[in-house]
Amino acid sequence: MCTLIVRTGRPLTLMGVRDEFADRPWEGPGEHWPDYPGVIGGRDLKAGGTWLAVNPAARRAAALLNGRGLAARETTKVSRGDLALRAAYTGLPPDADLGRYDPFHLVLADLSGVRLLSWDGVRPSISKLPEGVSMVVNTGLDPGSERVAAYLPRFRGQDWRELITAEPSDDPGALIVRHELPDGRVFASLSVMEVSLAPGEVTYDFTDLTDERDG
């Protein structure tokens, strides 16, 4: 995932835009993981994990974004895709050896608040997201990001669903992206998932952007 928008309050709302290579296989939300009963998310079919997990019974969600920093050693590296699953299931940040993971940002949200765990390959940091609307990108809570500068004011004042209908663009500040690489591969926004957490109800709304582009 490359962008996560969070709005605190009741309901607590998260919207995740997943950017990935278009030929990487995946499937939509479901209870795909027997080891994490009740946890719902889209599944990456290459590594088996997810980018945004919801635990309705616990009124909890967790989202994973790739980070920047020192990569893990190839000989011991494991997929980051289990991090959101475990966080949504347990309500706790990972207690594993983070040195096995490439850099990441993990957002853990429940009705008590929203925490951000960032790992740059050297040291972890944990912070609480501020009240109101925040955007997390691959560089974290980064007000200098072109995407954050362009879209954070709009998420504070505009219907979120309207913002994801933008035409895909290779502009650095675009929210919905599409990049055609020299080798012919396409890197694009593939899906959007919006999650709302409230004391009496948890909802999620999933949009497959590849379906919309295919007509």
Side-chain angles (χ1 to χ4, degrees):
M1 182 185 301
C2 281
T3 308
L4 181 74
I5 304 93
V6 180
R7 180 173 56 217
T8 61
R10 295 290 187 271
L12 171 60
T13 307
L14 302 89
M15 175 182 277
V17 180
R18 186 186 186 222
D19 301 341
E20 185 53 88
F21 286 106
D23 61 355
R24 183 163 177 144
W26 59 281
E27 60 183 335
E31 293 185 43
H32 300 298
W33 303 273
D35 290 343
Y36 303 102
V39 174
I40 298 168
R43 181 166 59 170
D44 174 57
L45 295 178
K46 182 176 180 179
T50 192
W51 51 95
L52 202 165
V54 187
N55 185 342
R59 308 290 190 263
R60 187 160 57 230
L64 178 74
L65 295 87
N66 295 345
R68 306 281 172 81
L70 181 67
R73 292 181 180 179
E74 289 294 334
T75 54
T76 57
K77 182 186 299 188
V78 295
S79 171
R80 292 166 288 194
D82 70 326
L83 292 169
L85 289 170
R86 286 192 286 139
Y89 186 66
T90 66
L92 301 171
D95 58 1
D97 175 12
L98 296 184
R100 298 183 299 153
Y101 297 97
D102 280 342
F104 64 83
H105 302 287
L106 179 67
V107 174
L108 178 55
D110 59 28
L111 297 181
S112 67
V114 187
R115 291 169 284 170
L116 171 64
L117 168 64
S118 295
W119 166 248
D120 64 2
V122 179
R123 61 183 61 85
S125 64
I126 298 180
S127 58
K128 186 174 180 179
L129 262 62
E131 296 297 313
V133 179
S134 300
M135 285 181 69
V136 185
V137 292
N138 293 132
T139 48
L141 280 173
D142 181 6
S145 161
E146 292 181 73
R147 183 176 299 178
V148 173
Y151 273 91
L152 182 56
R154 299 178 68 181
F155 276 105
R156 286 172 174 157
Q158 190 172 343
D159 185 324
W160 288 16
R161 302 303 300 179
E162 292 179 4
L163 297 177
I164 65 169
T165 63
E167 284 295 315
S169 170
D170 61 3
D171 187 286
L175 178 68
I176 306 301
V177 304
R178 181 180 175 85
H179 302 278
E180 296 188 11
L181 280 63
D183 62 5
R185 292 185 301 167
V186 173
F187 185 82
S189 300
L190 303 183
S191 64
V192 178
M193 187 166 174
E194 183 174 351
V195 178
S196 292
L197 307 176
E201 184 180 31
V202 173
T203 62
Y204 68 89
D205 184 28
F206 183 80
T207 303
D208 182 346
L209 297 178
T210 63
D211 276 353
E212 294 189 354
R213 289 172 198 155
D214 292 341

